[in-house]
């Protein structure tokens, strides 16, 4: 299934994409696409619903983030050897974990706001792993039993905030709109081989990232198991698993985003996103 959320910010309704690419309303079946809807039992019930029996959403308008009420937004750094190399850093011997503020989460096509003081705004296409059942100290062999599905994430990053000064990663990762998520949550039974999915990102039509999840250092099952040693993973939590090479920081010379730039990105079978960079106007 391709599960999604549509409607104005803060008023999203649950939906699914049917086999004809049309949005169907799920609000008569579940309240939201959130942790409560992502358990195996809940997903099994949703799978039994005939999409043609659901109301057709003729004009869904804005797509929201495909998961609502995310508790933890966990990210893995330097999880592609070639990205580590372009960053001038060694390949980690174990996963680098950091978090993005959940207030960074936005819809897949929402504008990305350049924060005040930003000088090094960057992009990162990533595979998101969405948790369906609580995971605590799970083995790698059983880790994927706790996964509901997968999605596309743009781990938007402000490198000056992240690396310069005190060099605290969270500062450069958690600004508002720095976590476009979606367009859909694709359940794991339909996501294909998530260890071998093509992924790409363009800026203003120019291809910068053209990679595959097959070059991940640490695979999704290992990451779920590893993270669960240090914190319990709850239904609706998201793990963003790192990016392939081609980020702005790695260009020679570096190429950072400015207002008006348009990012387009996607992962094979999981959909595509499109964001325009805009100036912060709320202060």
């Amino acid at each position: 299934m391709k599960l999604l959320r549509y409607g104005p910010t803060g008023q999203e309704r649950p939906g699914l994409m049917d086999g004809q690419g049309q949005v169907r309303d799920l609000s008569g079946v579940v309240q939201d696409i959130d942790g409560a809807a992502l358990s195996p039992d809940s997903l099994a019930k949703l799978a039994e619903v005939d999409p043609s029996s659901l109301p057709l959403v003729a004009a869904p308008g804005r797509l929201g983030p495909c998961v609502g009420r995310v508790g933890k937004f966990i990210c893995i750094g330097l999880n592609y050897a070639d990205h580590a190399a372009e960053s001038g850093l060694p390949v980690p011997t174990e996963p680098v974990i950091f978090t993005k503020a959940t207030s960074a989460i936005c819809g897949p096509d929402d504008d990305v706001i350049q924060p005040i003081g930003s000088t090094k705004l960057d992009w990162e296409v990533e595979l998101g792993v969405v948790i369906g059942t609580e995971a605590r100290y799970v083995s790698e062999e059983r880790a994927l039993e706790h996964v509901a599905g997968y999605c596309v994430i743009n781990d938007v990053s402000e490198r000056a905030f992240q690396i310069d000064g005190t060099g605290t990663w969270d500062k450069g990762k958690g600004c508002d709109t720095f976590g476009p998520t979606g367009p859909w949550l694709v359940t794991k039974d339909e996501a294909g081989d998530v260890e071998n999915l093509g992924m790409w990102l363009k800026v203003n039509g120019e291809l910068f990232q053209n990679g595959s999840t097959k070059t991940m250092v640490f695979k999704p099952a290992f990451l779920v198991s590893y993270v669960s040693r240090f914190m319990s993973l709850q239904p609706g939590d998201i793990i963003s698993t790192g990016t392939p090479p081609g980020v702005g920081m790695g260009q020679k010379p570096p190429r950072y985003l400015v207002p008006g730039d348009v990012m387009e990105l996607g992962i094979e079978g999981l959909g595509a996103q499109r964001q325009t960079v805009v100036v912060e106007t709320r202060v």
Side-chain angles (χ1 to χ4, degrees):
M1 290 180 292
K2 293 183 174 74
L3 302 175
L4 55 87
R5 302 168 72 244
Y6 68 96
T9 302
Q11 302 175 44
E12 292 92 349
R13 297 168 65 91
L16 65 77
M17 187 73 69
D18 68 17
Q20 288 71 50
Q22 302 176 110
V23 174
R24 299 281 179 168
D25 181 63
L26 272 175
S27 58
V29 183
V30 293
Q31 290 187 337
D32 200 356
I33 306 301
D34 58 7
L38 298 177
S39 71
D41 286 347
S42 178
L43 291 179
K45 290 178 182 177
L46 287 176
E48 292 174 357
V49 176
D50 179 1
S52 65
S53 70
L54 299 170
L56 177 65
V57 183
R62 171 185 177 268
L63 291 182
C66 59
V67 183
R69 290 179 277 202
V70 175
K72 291 190 286 296
F73 195 0
I74 302 156
C75 298
I76 308 299
L78 305 173
N79 195 29
Y80 289 71
D82 33 16
H83 172 56
E86 73 173 353
S87 303
L89 296 168
V91 177
T93 56
E94 58 182 282
V96 174
I97 299 175
F98 63 94
T99 60
K100 287 176 88 81
T102 55
S103 52
I105 296 172
C106 63
D109 302 326
D110 289 348
D111 290 340
V112 165
I113 300 170
Q114 183 176 36
I116 292 173
S118 165
T119 58
K120 298 179 179 179
L121 189 63
D122 208 345
W123 58 81
E124 297 188 8
V125 59
E126 305 201 0
L127 172 72
V129 178
V130 182
I131 301 300
T133 58
E134 183 182 46
R136 297 179 67 248
Y137 299 103
V138 300
S139 67
E140 183 176 355
E141 293 72 24
R142 304 199 65 175
L144 296 186
E145 296 175 16
H146 298 267
V147 171
Y150 303 90
C151 63
V152 181
I153 291 173
N154 188 354
D155 177 17
V156 181
S157 307
E158 213 303 327
R159 304 301 187 188
F161 297 176
Q162 176 190 356
I163 298 170
D164 301 347
T166 57
T168 303
W169 280 32
D170 291 358
K171 290 191 306 186
K173 297 286 191 172
C175 301
D176 290 354
T177 72
F178 274 24
T181 301
W184 321 297
L185 184 162
V186 181
T187 51
K188 61 185 178 182
D189 59 307
E190 294 189 10
D193 180 3
V194 295
E195 294 185 9
N196 189 21
L197 299 178
M199 52 202 309
W200 56 274
L201 184 144
K202 298 178 181 180
V203 179
N204 300 334
E206 181 180 354
L207 184 65
F208 281 91
Q209 292 188 276
N210 185 21
S212 170
T213 58
K214 68 183 179 183
T215 64
M216 279 186 185
V217 177
F218 304 106
K219 308 301 184 182
F222 180 84
L223 291 173
V224 171
S225 174
Y226 182 85
V227 174
S228 78
R229 303 179 202 172
F230 304 100
M231 64 195 83
S232 63
L233 294 170
Q234 304 299 324
D237 287 352
I238 297 173
I239 301 175
S240 195
T241 58
T243 197
V247 300
M249 179 176 64
Q251 305 303 308
K252 300 185 185 304
R255 197 286 196 207
Y256 295 115
L257 296 162
V258 297
D261 282 346
V262 175
M263 291 176 281
E264 298 171 278
L265 59 144
I267 298 177
E268 179 184 354
L270 303 185
Q273 303 183 351
R274 185 182 189 275
Q275 301 105 27
T276 300
V277 179
V278 300
V279 176
E280 173 63 80
T281 60
R282 293 172 293 177
V283 291

